[in-house]
Amino acid sequence: MKNELQLLGEKILEKKYQIAERVHLKVINKAAAQKLPMTEKEIIDIRANFVKLFGESLLQEADADTGGQLFLKWGKETGKRVCDLGIPLDQALKGTSYYRTCIWEVLGEEMLNHDMSLATSLKVGSILDPLLDQAVYAFSSAYVQCHEETLENSKRAFLELSVPVVPLAKGVAVLPLIGNIDTERARLLMEEVLQKASEKRLSHLLFDLSGVLVVDTMVADQIFKIEKALGLLGVETILIGIRPEVAQTMTNLGIDTGQLKIKSNLEQALKDLNESFGLL
């Protein structure tokens, strides 16, 4: 049987590109291929290298334990690469069953030509099937992880853009907040504001809340914390632009703003700063 497995392994290696092309034709049509961020040759090369692993596994009689590391490595690397290229996961996994089918087409023909036994066929299946399953699992896991990291990075970039500290004069800047402030944005707000206040050497920071529709106890608490942290850096915080409905909500919630410096709008805040400190 060993010689038969080696013969089958050599046949897969010999026809790896033929198998890869068969899989490719089953998976994708010409119209779809034109939209992919890779050339057809590059895709077939990837498929052929994958098929090559099956041939080598038969040559070495590698099972899921001894040969699995190569398939896991292939799955992790290829899954991340495909994700980086922006190819949808369902499209990338579409060829999984076709690999099995096309490889077995070649193996079946070779087994018939050499009158191989059922035992050989079962042995081949016991080697190849678990390895394919491992590769698919590693590929999917790597793709999902890469996709989640991409989403997280995009989300963080968006959040960072939503904390714009805009300089108005030497030592004075305004932070216009827009939209809801959830726990994650509040945490990032603290980090970004402190860092930018230090970088820009601010003495005064105006918090413009005119674009904030809802202020609850969590948001208010975060504003208090930022105000205290900025105070430790020598930066005075001034709240401006509180909407009437927000002011009413804050009053109903019993939020004490007595310790905060508040002005009605940006114009009034700048006027007071100029009169008091001649900053503008």
Side-chain angles (χ1 to χ4, degrees), residues 132-146:
L132 178 59
D133 292 339
Q134 282 192 344
V136 172
Y137 173 78
F139 178 93
S140 301
S141 298
Y143 186 102
V144 170
Q145 181 179 355
C146 176

Side-chain angles (χ1 to χ4, degrees), residues 143 161 174 195 219:
Y143 186 102
L161 289 174
V174 62
Q195 181 179 346
V219 175

Side-chain angles (χ1 to χ4, degrees), residues 29 156 172 212 224 231 261:
N29 55 45
R156 182 169 183 84
V172 182
V212 179
F224 292 144
K261 192 168 184 178

Side-chain angles (χ1 to χ4, degrees), residues 76-92:
K76 290 177 180 178
E77 293 176 351
T78 309
K80 185 179 186 307
R81 183 180 180 185
V82 168
C83 177
D84 288 338
L85 290 171
I87 300 173
L89 180 58
D90 60 340
Q91 183 176 327

